[in-house]
Amino acid sequence: MKRALRIAAGIAAVALVGVVAAAIRVPQAVFPAWLAVCAAWIGWPLGSMALVLVHALTGGRWGDILRPALRAGIATLPLGIPALAGVLWGARHLYPWVQPGGGARITNGFYLNVPFAMGRVVAYVLVWGWLGTVCLRGRDVGRTAPVGLIALAFTSGFAAIDLTESLDPHFSSRA
């Protein structure tokens, strides 16, 4: 087992070096793919948290059966946080509004600006970390579930907007 872990760690290290080298050499090819993987990866623990919180409100045997898998899903959240760091590293290659002078050409610059975006990312990580801790400990989940579901809905919704819809700074949901 230790040998298999060493081999896996070695492969992961080589892959990381390859991704970093590619990100430096051809960032326009690497960072959009990194964003897609990050969004997919973060969705797994957030979805698991949502199901744990819903079960705390509704009860039933279905949650007891799924609890080990949901806890495993929530436990992957710390692996998704470094993926967000990769998105932040490549932000100037992904988001036109991050580039120097890019924010001056948009009407929603109050929302799409680097300091406010960084603050939102920090807030998302803090809320998700708090909820993940509550869900993994298993204590007070019932008391936390109503507020936790609302917080999870808002943070995951705004994170989706921040990560994907802000790729086009002129996006508007108005018809």
Side-chain angles (χ1 to χ4, degrees):
M1 185 64 159
K2 287 183 181 181
R3 182 172 185 252
L5 286 175
R6 280 196 308 269
I7 291 171
I11 291 170
V14 169
L16 181 61
V17 168
V19 167
V20 169
I24 292 169
R25 190 159 167 92
V26 282
Q28 66 279 9
V30 171
F31 288 115
W34 189 271
L35 174 63
V37 168
C38 178
W41 188 276
I42 292 291
W44 183 20
L46 297 184
S48 297
M49 275 188 254
L51 288 173
V52 167
L53 294 170
V54 165
H55 179 256
L57 290 176
T58 62
R61 291 190 333 219
W62 65 270
D64 297 332
I65 294 168
L66 291 177
R67 185 170 291 117
L70 295 176
R71 288 175 52 87
I74 295 168
T76 65
L77 182 62
L79 299 174
I81 303 307
L84 280 175
V87 171
L88 294 176
W89 177 35
R92 66 186 168 97
H93 300 286
L94 290 167
Y95 306 105
W97 52 271
V98 173
Q99 297 170 2
R105 297 182 303 254
I106 58 176
T107 58
N108 53 355
F110 69 93
Y111 187 81
L112 296 180
N113 62 71
V114 174
F116 190 38
M118 292 296 292
R120 289 191 309 270
V121 169
V122 168
Y124 303 152
V125 169
L126 291 174
V127 168
W128 297 341
W130 166 69
L131 282 174
T133 302
V134 168
C135 290
L136 287 175
R137 284 187 180 161
R139 291 178 271 141
D140 299 327
V141 178
R143 278 195 345 223
T144 307
V147 172
L149 277 170
I150 292 169
L152 187 60
F154 275 106
T155 57
S156 61
F158 276 100
I161 290 168
D162 289 345
L163 287 174
T164 58
E165 289 182 14
S166 68
L167 290 168
D168 176 10
H170 302 290
F171 175 82
S172 174
S173 60
R174 290 177 280 162

